[in-house]
Amino acid sequence: MIDPFDFSPWDFWSRADDEARRRQLDTQRALAARPGWVFGTDCFVSELASVDNEELELGDRTYIAAGAYLTGSLRTGRDCSMNAYTVIRGTVQIGDAVRIGAHTSIIGFNHTMTTMEVEFFRQPLESRGIRIGNDVWIGSHVVILDGITVGDHAVLAAGAVVTKDVPTGAIVGGNPAKLIRSRLAPAVPVDNARDALGMRVAAFADTARAQALTVLDRSFDARSGLFVDRPGAAPTVRAQCDAVEIADLLLGSAPPQLPVGEQVDRLRGWQDPGTGAVAALTSDPAPAGSTGFDDPDAAYHVLCVGYSLQLLGSGFAVPLTLATTVSAAETIAALDDLPWHTNAWSAGHRVDAIGTAQHLSRLRGDSIPTGATDALFGWLLTHADPRTGMWGSAAPEDGLLQLVNGFYRASRGTFAQFGLPLPYPERVIDTVLQHARDDRFFAPASQNACNVLDIAHPLWLTRATGYRSDEVRALARRLLEDALGFWTDAAGFGFRAPDHDTLGLPETIPGLQGTEMWLAIVWYLADLVGVSESLGYRPRGVHRPEAATP
């Protein structure tokens, strides 16, 4: 006969007999002998549940009912309940007083799908983790996807499929889940796709999509058949890639100015056959010839050409020796030699290229020297400053600029791209928020795409911590409102924000680089605020939010 407490354990400790209590305590003592397993007082774990976690911490009076299936790393606060047949897998953190209905799935990982040449189940997993706040009611048959943060006092209606963060006090439902109403007082607004900012974001996206072809035509040089950053500029490798990314974001296709095959052949044909590097274009225009990766342009072309070829359904033609010939010892030596304390951006730029070369080489099926990837991550983990969460140091002349910008580049190509957790995420948030107070870089007239992206991405990458979340959202909202005003009709974004004192400067003239970067920035800021759904696009290239591990 099935014990009813297995399915309804809430009053077990007040109603169960002494023998049942002893058996439950024996069960918990046996489980707690496993490394990383900790139980609070008056917990209950049904013998009919499948609990196979690597780490498990249950707060006081937390219950796991029959049929529950738990794996990965789970930490809960007090007074939590996992009803019958709940599934919780991956990395999940749950606050106090969270009640989870039957047949709910909370999945803190996902399958990658970077190639159609390998079956889904053979491709690696990625995990960003799930964070659920305090006093949350999760109904039956709810699905919560990886990377989601659910705020305190939220309600997830039965059957909801939660695909984006849920604000504090929000009641959401549906597939995908949308805001039904807020439990907060009317005087405290909740950011969502139907508020004024959401409507402004949607209007911006409609304008950008309607003008996308005009923006691309403006930068297409019909004589050479190449894109330029802006009218009058010379063709560059990056301009071809920026055009691909902009078309993918706003048109959902390749740039229509040229056949796809011609664009693929050109990008692949620019690789040096010996090293795999793509050099800057000469005046011909053609690549500069045989080259390696020491040139900053060639290092960035690993990213922009590699991802553009992916968006066009292709990949590099020849191996990238930056990844295929550099041993673990050589990787460490190269990282040691980078100018972390004098030019952290340059150091991060190099790390981004190394990490991306390793990722793209795996996609190609190329062999990488044993231990090279472990050496890359091992060096970064052991050299991260526990005070800032970053690599390098601040400089008197530009404050935290080099430190933060270098961190973005280094973390983008490694921890973000490979879907791995940062060593000190809360310290990263502290450092970024301190940097964002520097008006030399973040007053509306002083902003440029590089500096804003370099704080938007780290804040998005660390959002699951919930640390200083109100300040993060307030900053994201301010920067988003600024960015929406930088668009120039029929031309796009300049790299630098336009202002009456800076109009006419080359960096304020709209071009493909500024447009590609600001479109990605708008997405990240909108997602931090909770209105990215209104954009109708999501970056898939260099600035993609998902991990890209093959």
Side-chain angles (χ1 to χ4, degrees), residues 110-183:
N110 207 345
H111 289 272
T112 55
M113 54 181 80
T114 56
T115 176
M116 290 188 289
E117 303 302 318
V118 179
E119 295 163 320
F120 282 116
F121 78 97
R122 298 186 189 279
Q123 298 191 49
L125 302 176
E126 62 182 12
S127 177
R128 291 178 286 158
I130 293 171
R131 182 182 180 275
I132 299 172
N134 301 315
D135 184 31
V136 175
W137 178 13
I138 302 173
S140 298
H141 294 276
V142 169
V143 176
I144 304 176
L145 301 182
D146 186 34
I148 298 300
T149 295
V150 179
D152 297 343
H153 315 296
V155 177
L156 280 53
V161 178
V162 183
T163 61
K164 65 177 184 176
D165 292 352
V166 178
T168 297
I171 302 175
V172 301
N175 180 7
K178 297 182 183 296
L179 183 72
I180 298 172
R181 66 180 178 86
S182 173
R183 300 177 65 200

Side-chain angles (χ1 to χ4, degrees), residues 345-356:
W345 180 89
S346 177
H349 177 79
R350 183 69 174 185
V351 170
D352 199 352
I354 294 170
T356 303

Side-chain angles (χ1 to χ4, degrees), residues 70 112 131 158 196 211 240 275 317 336 348 383 439 448 450 546:
L70 278 57
T112 55
R131 182 182 180 275
Q211 298 179 6
Q240 318 315 306
T275 65
D336 285 339
H383 286 76
D439 283 345
N448 69 41
C450 180
E546 289 82 16

